């Protein structure tokens, strides 16, 4: 038999939605690991805003990556990402995705005062052979560096 729930728990459960994983700014939300990777750039943007920085995000990678449905989860969350100035642009292959991400890190080369954002943080994903093929892009991107508020996070799996 089901015992009645206390009033405060019943009210909490009435307000739970499947979008909580992306819409809640605090508290607890249930999500899968892939959904947590979608929420991560939103949290980074909020952290930057708390210290007074206006950042944007860029995510790109190869759709054939073994990162189980990451691209599909990003598309499903597109309205939440867009609200946080985070762009998801899948790459035709790992090299093009990595090169596109590298391009977002070059705000420092723009004339002072012309940038819309203080920096762009980026996430790249791909599979093992693509990581090997991207070594030249990674090397040059790391040598060029980023603006102080641009960061790269490259995730690959073998």
């Amino acid at each position: 038999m089901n015992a009645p729930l206390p009033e405060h728990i019943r009210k909490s459960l009435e307000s739970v939605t499947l979008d909580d994983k992306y819409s809640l700014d605090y508290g607890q939300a249930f999500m899968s690991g892939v959904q947590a990777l979608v929420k991560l750039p939103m949290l980074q943007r909020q952290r930057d805003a708390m210290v007074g920085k206006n950042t944007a995000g860029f995510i790109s990678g190869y759709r054939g990556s073994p990162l189980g449905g990451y691209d599909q989860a990003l598309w499903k969350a597109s309205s939440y990402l867009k609200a946080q100035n985070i762009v998801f642009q899948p790459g035709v292959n790992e090299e093009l995705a990595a090169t596109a991400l590298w391009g977002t890190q070059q705000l420092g080369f723009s004339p002072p005062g012309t940038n819309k954002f203080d920096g762009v943080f980026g996430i790249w994903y791909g599979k093992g052979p693509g990581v090997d093929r991207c070594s030249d892009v990674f090397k040059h991107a790391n040598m060029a560096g980023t603006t102080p508020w641009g960061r790269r996070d490259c995730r690959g799996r073998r």
Side-chain angles (χ1 to χ4, degrees):
M1 297 208 341
N2 292 334
L5 292 172
E7 185 67 17
H8 71 284
I9 294 177
R10 189 182 60 74
K11 284 186 178 186
S12 293
L13 290 174
E14 286 176 358
S15 66
V16 171
T17 71
L18 291 175
D19 287 338
D20 284 351
K21 61 187 166 279
Y22 301 133
S23 63
L24 288 180
D25 291 333
Y26 62 90
Q28 295 180 348
F30 294 100
M31 62 186 81
S32 70
V34 169
Q35 292 166 339
L37 290 174
V38 172
K39 179 73 174 180
L40 185 66
M42 294 182 233
L43 294 173
Q44 181 62 57
R45 175 104 166 51
Q46 290 172 356
R47 289 184 70 200
D48 292 344
M50 288 189 323
V51 295
K53 293 300 174 184
N54 179 27
T55 59
F58 185 79
I59 304 167
S60 190
Y62 177 56
R63 293 193 59 206
S65 166
L67 192 57
Y70 186 46
D71 57 338
Q72 294 170 21
L74 288 164
W75 272 314
K76 287 179 185 175
S78 63
S79 62
Y80 295 101
L81 295 169
K82 185 176 183 178
Q84 296 286 333
N85 295 316
I86 300 166
V87 173
F88 167 55
Q89 178 63 54
V92 174
N93 57 39
E94 286 95 339
E95 297 94 316
L96 290 174
T99 304
L101 185 62
W102 178 19
T104 69
Q105 301 301 302
Q106 298 183 13
L107 283 179
F109 299 128
S110 300
T114 62
N115 293 332
K116 185 176 178 182
F117 299 103
D118 297 324
V120 177
F121 53 86
I123 298 174
W124 176 91
Y125 61 94
K127 60 187 188 313
V131 173
D132 296 338
R133 289 191 317 271
C134 288
S135 63
D136 196 44
V137 176
F138 293 158
K139 177 181 75 175
H140 289 285
N142 283 319
M143 293 292 283
T146 68
T147 60
W149 291 94
R151 295 169 291 286
R152 291 180 300 277
D153 186 11
C154 299
R155 302 286 177 179
R157 289 182 51 185
R158 293 191 184 265

